[in-house]
C-alpha cells in the first residue's frame, strides 16, 4: 500500500486541504488504513468528482480506492454484476455494453466510482422513472470503524444511512448491481425549445412520463419574457431496427470521443457574463424548435463534458461552485422566484440543468424527492456569492426543499437540519457505529454530520 501527503480539492477546485493519502490494493490493506487512521479520521475517495469537500480530510487521511477496481463476476443472462467499489462507471460501460447491458443510473460524468455512486446516491436523467443509484444495489460490502466487514442489504438502517451518507458510515468495498438491457449503444433523441420557464415546466409536466431520460439546459442569463428559456432534450435507448445498415454491424460499440485537454492554467474570468451570454445565445438559437428521433452516441447524450478532459479548469485557478437544489411539486412559485433572482443578478452559469424528479429512495441523506431540481455552476470569484447562495438556501428550505450534498461546498449546518428531516437518525447511527470518529471529512466537520 502506497502512502503520500497530498493537497486535495473537489471538482470545483475550491478550498484545498492537505491529507495523508493511502492507496490500498486489497480489502485487508483498507482495513489496516482505517484502524490506523489517527484522531482526524479517514474518508474514502474515488475519482474526485464530488464538487465540494466531501472527499477531503484536512489533517487526517484519505483512502484512494481506485486501485480496488476489479469486476468480479458478470451474469450475462441477468445483468447482475459484482464489482469492487473503485470500478468506474466508464469501465463498466466498456465491459458491459458489448454484452447488451447498460448502467442503471449515470450522472453527467461516467468518471465516478461505484463506491462514490452509492455514497452520494447519484441520480441521472432517468430519476423520474428509475430512481437513484441505490435502488439498483442488491447488496454491498462495508468496512466499518471496528475494522470488520459487513454485508449490507436494502431494507436495513445501515443501508439507508450509507446510500447518500457521503462515506461517513464506512468504506464501501464492493457491490452487487443490477444492470438494464439495451439493444444498441445509441440513443434516439427528441429536442425542443421552450420559450420561458413556464413553457418548459408545462412541457415536462405534460409528457415527461413518456421518456426514459429527460433534462433541460436553461439560460439563466435570459431576462424579461425570455426568463428561463430552455432547450429540452429527451431520449430512449435506440432499438436495433432504427439504426442505419452500417451501424447495425456493431450495434453495441462504445467509442466515446475526446477533445484536447484543457491547459493547467486558465485565467480567471474566462467564463464571465459576456462569454457565457454569447454561448447561451448561440446554444438556444442553434437548437431545433422541434426534432424527433435523432441518433446520438451514449457519450454525446449523457456525458458531453467528459469529452473535454479537465474541463473544470475552464473556471481558472479560483474554481467554481456547483449548486443544486430540489423543491417539491406545488412549490413552482419558489422555483420561479429563484430563477428570477439568478437572472436579475446576471449570474454567468455555463452549465444549468432543470429536471423533474419522481419518488425518492429510502436513503436518509439521499437528495432526490418528488419535484423540480435545478443545478447550476457559478465562478467562485463572483462578488458576494456566499451571501447570495445563503439567501437561496433559505428560499429552498422554506419551500421544503434541499441542497445536494455531493455538490455542496458552503452550506450552513443549521440550514442542513431544515432540509434533511432524518438527519438525527443518521447522526445517532453514526455515533453508535463509529463513536471515536474513524470516518470524517471536511464536509462532515463543516456540517456537523
Amino acid at each position: 500500500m502506497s502512502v503520500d501527503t497530498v493537497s486535495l480539492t473537489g471538482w470545483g477546485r475550491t478550498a484545498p486541504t492537505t491529507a495523508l493519502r493511502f492507496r490500498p490494493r486489497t480489502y485487508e490493506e483498507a482495513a489496516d488504513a482505517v484502524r490506523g487512521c489517527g484522531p482526524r479520521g479517514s474518508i474514502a475517495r474515488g475519482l474526485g468528482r464530488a464538487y465540494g469537500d466531501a472527499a477531503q480530510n484536512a489533517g487526517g487521511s484519505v483512502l484512494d480506492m481506485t486501485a480496488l477496481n476489479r469486476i468480479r463476476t458478470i451474469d450475462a443472462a441477468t445483468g447482475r454484476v459484482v464489482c469492487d467499489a473503485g470500478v468506474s462507471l466508464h469501465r463498466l460501460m466498456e465491459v458491459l455494453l458489448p454484452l447488451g447491458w447498460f448502467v442503471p443510473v449515470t450522472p453527467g460524468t461516467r468518471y465516478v466510482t461505484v463506491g462514490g455512486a452509492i455514497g452520494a446516491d447519484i441520480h441521472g436523467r432517468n430519476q423520474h422513472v428509475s430512481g437513484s443509484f441505490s435502488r439498483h444495489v442488491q447488496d454491498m460490502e462495508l468496512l466499518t470503524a471496528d475494522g470488520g466487514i459487513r454485508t449490507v442489504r436494502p431494507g436495513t438502517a445501515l443501508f439507508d444511512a450509507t446510500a447518500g451518507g457521503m462515506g461517513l458510515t464506512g468504506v464501501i468495498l464492493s457491490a452487487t448491481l443490477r444492470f438494464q438491457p439495451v439493444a444498441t449503444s445509441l440513443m434516439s433523441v427528441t429536442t425542443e425549445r421552450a420559450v420561458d420557464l413556464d413553457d418548459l415546466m408545462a412541457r415536462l409536466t405534460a409528457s415527461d412520463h413518456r421518456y426514459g431520460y429527460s433534462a433541460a439546459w436553461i439560460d439563466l442569463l435570459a431576462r424579461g419574457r425570455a426568463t428561463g428559456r430552455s432547450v429540452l432534450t429527451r431520449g430512449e435507448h435506440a432499438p436495433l431496427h432504427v439504426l442505419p445498415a452500417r451501424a447495425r454491424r456493431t450495434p453495441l460499440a462504445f467509442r466515446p470521443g475526446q477533445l484536447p485537454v484543457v491547459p493547467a492554467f486558465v485565467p480567471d474570468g474566462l467564463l464571465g457574463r459576456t462569454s457565457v451570454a454569447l454561448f447561451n445565445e448561440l446554444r438556444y438559437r442553434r437548437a431545433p424548435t422541434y426534432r424527433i428521433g435523432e441518433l446520438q452516441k451514449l457519450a454525446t447524450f449523457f456525458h458531453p463534458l467528459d469529452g473535454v478532459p479537465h474541463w473544470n479548469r475552464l473556471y481558472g485557478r479560483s474554481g467554481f461552485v456547483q449548486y443544486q437544489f430540489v423543491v417539491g411539486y406545488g412549490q413552482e412559485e419558489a422555483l420561479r422566484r429563484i430563477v428570477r433572482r439568478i437572472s436579475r443578478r446576471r449570474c454567468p452559469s455555463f452549465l444549468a440543468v432543470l429536471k423533474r424528479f419522481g419518488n425518492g429512495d429510502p436513503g436518509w441523506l439521499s437528495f432526490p424527492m418528488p419535484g423540480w431540481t435545478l443545478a447550476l455552476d457559478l465562478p467562485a470569484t463572483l462578488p458576494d456569492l456566499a451571501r447570495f447562495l445563503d439567501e437561496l438556501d433559505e428560499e429552498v428550505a422554506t419551500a421544503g426543499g434541499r441542497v445536494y450534498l455531493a455538490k455542496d461546498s458552503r452550506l450552513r449546518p443549521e440550514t442542513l437540519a431544515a432540509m434533511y428531516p432524518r438527519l438525527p437518525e443518521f447522526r445517532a447511527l453514526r455515533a453508535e457505529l463509529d463513536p471515536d470518529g474513524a470516518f470524517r471529512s471536511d464536509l462532515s466537520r463543516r456540517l456537523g454530520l
Side-chain angles (χ1 to χ4, degrees):
M1 176 168 56
S2 65
V3 184
D4 60 356
T5 300
V6 292
S7 178
L8 297 170
T9 70
W11 193 244
R13 305 179 75 203
T14 59
T17 57
T18 301
L20 196 64
R21 177 172 58 187
F22 292 87
R23 287 175 168 162
R25 293 163 296 180
T26 65
Y27 295 172
E28 292 75 17
E29 288 184 350
D32 289 343
V34 168
R35 292 190 191 101
C37 65
R40 294 287 288 182
S42 187
I43 193 71
R45 182 182 176 96
L47 291 169
R49 292 303 179 105
Y51 284 81
D53 52 5
Q56 299 170 224
N57 187 23
S61 62
V62 168
L63 270 65
D64 182 331
M65 300 295 289
T66 54
L68 289 168
N69 59 0
R70 288 174 294 176
I71 300 175
R72 294 175 174 268
T73 64
I74 298 172
D75 187 332
T78 65
R80 181 179 179 271
V81 178
V82 182
C83 63
D84 287 346
V87 175
S88 70
L89 299 192
H90 174 82
R91 181 59 181 156
L92 290 172
M93 291 177 197
E94 285 184 322
V95 174
L96 272 297
L97 259 175
L99 302 178
W101 297 96
F102 187 63
V103 292
V105 171
T106 178
T109 174
R110 60 186 179 274
Y111 294 110
V112 296
T113 62
V114 167
I118 298 171
D121 202 14
I122 61 170
H123 58 271
R125 294 182 175 208
N126 61 343
Q127 196 285 332
H128 61 297
V129 292
S130 299
S132 49
F133 198 85
S134 65
R135 188 179 297 185
H136 308 274
V137 176
Q138 289 188 341
D139 59 59
M140 58 180 140
E141 298 296 306
L142 185 71
L143 171 63
T144 50
D146 59 5
I149 298 175
R150 305 189 187 195
T151 299
V152 184
R153 294 185 173 89
T156 63
L158 185 52
F159 187 96
D160 293 345
T162 302
M166 306 309 295
L168 296 171
T169 61
V171 179
I172 299 167
L173 297 174
S174 68
T176 303
L177 310 173
R178 296 184 299 270
F179 277 57
Q180 63 169 320
V182 294
T184 75
S185 61
L186 294 175
M187 301 295 295
S188 177
V189 181
T190 297
T191 305
E192 55 192 294
R193 288 196 311 211
V195 297
D196 59 22
L197 182 60
D198 285 342
D199 182 28
L200 173 62
M201 289 194 291
R203 291 170 187 260
L204 286 167
T205 301
S207 58
D208 221 28
H209 62 280
R210 300 204 302 264
Y211 296 88
Y213 300 93
S214 178
W217 167 81
I218 182 170
D219 182 359
L220 292 176
L221 282 173
R223 292 185 290 183
R225 289 184 296 177
T227 299
R229 66 178 182 177
S230 314
V231 178
L232 175 57
T233 308
R234 297 186 278 198
E236 301 283 356
H237 292 281
L240 185 61
H241 72 269
V242 305
L243 269 59
R246 184 176 180 182
R248 291 184 200 177
R249 299 172 192 166
T250 54
L252 292 166
F254 180 56
R255 304 188 187 97
Q258 186 168 297
L259 296 172
V261 176
V262 175
F265 300 104
V266 175
D268 289 342
L270 178 65
L271 295 179
R273 288 189 180 97
T274 301
S275 58
V276 172
L278 177 60
F279 168 82
N280 287 0
E281 185 68 28
L282 291 173
R283 181 167 185 175
Y284 184 76
R285 296 298 176 189
R286 291 181 63 184
T289 303
Y290 186 79
R291 181 174 60 202
I292 188 170
E294 179 191 11
L295 293 178
Q296 292 184 7
K297 292 181 178 180
L298 286 170
T300 302
F301 182 77
F302 289 109
H303 315 120
L305 284 173
D306 282 347
V308 186
H310 298 291
W311 64 263
N312 58 336
R313 294 174 180 171
L314 291 170
Y315 292 85
R317 291 186 177 184
S318 298
F320 69 103
V321 173
Q322 178 86 184
Y323 185 73
Q324 183 169 4
F325 67 90
V326 57
V327 293
Y329 296 123
Q331 295 294 332
E332 286 76 12
E333 189 51 43
L335 176 63
R336 293 185 186 98
R337 283 197 304 270
I338 292 172
V339 169
R340 287 196 296 265
R341 290 184 68 166
I342 296 169
S343 175
R344 285 197 301 267
R345 200 174 188 273
R346 304 290 289 158
C347 292
S349 181
F350 174 67
L351 301 169
V353 176
L354 183 76
K355 296 194 291 276
R356 290 175 84 250
F357 276 165
N359 291 332
D361 289 287
W364 293 345
L365 298 185
S366 185
F367 170 66
M369 57 179 272
W372 304 93
T373 181
L374 176 63
L376 60 145
D377 63 304
L378 297 167
T381 54
L382 283 181
D384 295 322
L385 179 60
R387 181 187 306 173
F388 178 66
L389 293 180
D390 285 345
E391 293 170 356
L392 296 191
D393 288 344
E394 292 298 324
E395 287 258 19
V396 170
T398 299
R402 58 182 61 144
V403 165
Y404 191 17
L405 295 183
K407 295 185 176 180
D408 175 58
S409 58
R410 27 70 46 202
L411 188 66
R412 294 180 178 179
E414 60 271 19
T415 311
L416 174 76
M419 293 177 172
Y420 287 89
R422 303 198 72 173
L423 182 61
E425 295 171 74
F426 179 82
R427 286 173 170 158
L429 186 140
R430 277 252 297 148
E432 178 184 343
L433 276 180
D434 186 10
D436 298 322
F439 300 114
R440 302 183 189 181
S441 64
D442 291 355
L443 174 85
S444 73
R445 276 187 286 269
R446 175 169 56 84
L447 293 177
L449 292 172

